[in-house]
Amino acid sequence: GMKGIDNMRDFVHLHVHTQYSLLDGAARLDKMMEKVKALGMSSIAITDHGVMYGVVDFYKQAKKYGIKPIIGCEVYVATRGMEDRDPKYDSDQYHLVLLAENETGYRNITYLVSQGFIKGFYYKPRVDLELLRKHSEGIIALSACLAGSVQQYILNGNYERAKEEALTYLDIFGKGNFYLEIQDHGIREQALVNQELIRMSHETGIPLVATNDVHYVDREDAQVHDVLLC
């Protein structure tokens, strides 16, 4: 029961959008590190949408506050190939969170993100499964929010296809490097998806990780974030 409260210190935010997420994140880095420090957390990740602009600043601020920085990105994965550009099939894309485990992982994520802009750009900078497979070393991947492909298939009532998708990611990143991400922001769909993800974890052995889709530092900032989105 209440024991969870003491373990707050052990919780690490692994899904975080900063002010560098174009028109979507509003977490100011200095303010964020102050808060992380105040909550007694030892580490935090940066996973802006499709970009790495914030990484250097994030790294410096984290070091300044004595917090371990985890460098990452929430990439957009093309529904088909990243060079396909058909408005009917390719204007949508899935989300996937990538975190660097080491320098190789950092280099791979940076490469994936730049290829997303150079070769995969269509509405958003996109990568695809083939590119991820070639550059997966040193990366830990999380299945992302409701916009992740595993979650999308679950929402569309296609559990088996969702499971296939999860096993594909497991195959790409390797055992222990892919996690099913459960989130609870009081959204009805999330409750449904979480049940299925827990079941999937039991069936596949893919571990679960709890995240918060962080877009701002304090609850009061929600209104400001709404304004930003408008």
Side-chain angles (χ1 to χ4, degrees), residues 4-66:
I5 299 296
D6 311 331
N7 294 339
M8 186 58 152
R9 295 177 178 283
D10 302 334
F11 185 79
V12 176
H13 278 293
L14 295 175
H15 190 136
V16 183
H17 299 283
T18 71
Q19 71 215 51
Y20 291 96
S21 262
L22 228 48
L23 299 179
D24 187 26
R28 289 243 329 272
L29 289 172
D30 48 352
K31 219 176 121 184
M32 189 163 83
M33 294 306 170
E34 240 164 69
K35 181 86 171 186
V36 171
K37 191 89 178 152
L39 291 169
M41 297 176 179
S42 57
S43 184
I44 189 170
I46 182 171
T47 59
D48 283 319
H49 280 297
V51 298
M52 303 281 278
Y53 306 134
V55 163
V56 174
D57 199 9
F58 170 84
Y59 186 86
K60 285 183 182 157
Q61 290 284 350
K63 286 292 181 211
K64 191 174 118 187
Y65 285 90

Side-chain angles (χ1 to χ4, degrees), residues 75 77 96-99 101 105 108-109 112 127-129 131-143 165-179:
V75 295
V77 181
L96 183 70
V97 174
L98 304 179
L99 302 170
E101 209 174 352
N108 273 329
I109 296 175
L112 287 163
V127 297
D128 59 21
L129 297 180
L131 194 70
L132 286 170
R133 199 175 280 286
K134 286 185 190 142
H135 301 279
S136 62
E137 197 193 330
I139 295 176
I140 287 178
L142 319 178
S143 67
E165 197 76 2
L167 289 168
T168 299
Y169 281 129
L170 178 65
D171 187 52
I172 290 174
F173 294 101
K175 199 166 156 44
N177 294 330
F178 176 62
Y179 290 80

Side-chain angles (χ1 to χ4, degrees), residues 69-178:
I70 300 170
I71 308 289
C73 183
E74 184 166 19
V75 295
Y76 297 105
V77 181
T79 45
R80 302 189 299 165
M82 64 193 269
E83 300 194 27
D84 292 331
R85 289 174 172 69
D86 179 317
K88 200 166 110 199
Y89 301 111
D90 305 311
S91 55
D92 283 338
Q93 60 282 314
Y94 298 124
H95 294 188
L96 183 70
V97 174
L98 304 179
L99 302 170
E101 209 174 352
N102 49 35
E103 201 185 325
T104 307
Y106 172 69
R107 281 206 297 266
N108 273 329
I109 296 175
T110 311
Y111 179 78
L112 287 163
V113 167
S114 54
Q115 289 301 302
F117 277 98
I118 298 163
K119 290 194 172 153
F121 199 93
Y122 188 61
Y123 291 89
K124 302 261 166 69
R126 305 170 308 156
V127 297
D128 59 21
L129 297 180
E130 194 190 343
L131 194 70
L132 286 170
R133 199 175 280 286
K134 286 185 190 142
H135 301 279
S136 62
E137 197 193 330
I139 295 176
I140 287 178
L142 319 178
S143 67
C145 52
L146 288 175
S149 60
V150 178
Q151 290 83 328
Q152 281 292 307
Y153 283 116
I154 291 174
L155 282 173
N156 293 330
N158 198 339
Y159 176 80
E160 286 310 315
R161 182 71 183 83
K163 190 159 130 179
E164 233 172 85
E165 197 76 2
L167 289 168
T168 299
Y169 281 129
L170 178 65
D171 187 52
I172 290 174
F173 294 101
K175 199 166 156 44
N177 294 330
F178 176 62

Side-chain angles (χ1 to χ4, degrees), residues 184-200:
D184 182 8
H185 304 100
I187 303 170
R188 199 172 53 87
E189 287 87 350
Q190 279 176 337
L192 174 130
V193 166
N194 287 347
Q195 280 177 324
E196 296 293 58
L197 288 175
I198 291 165
R199 169 185 159 197
M200 193 181 290

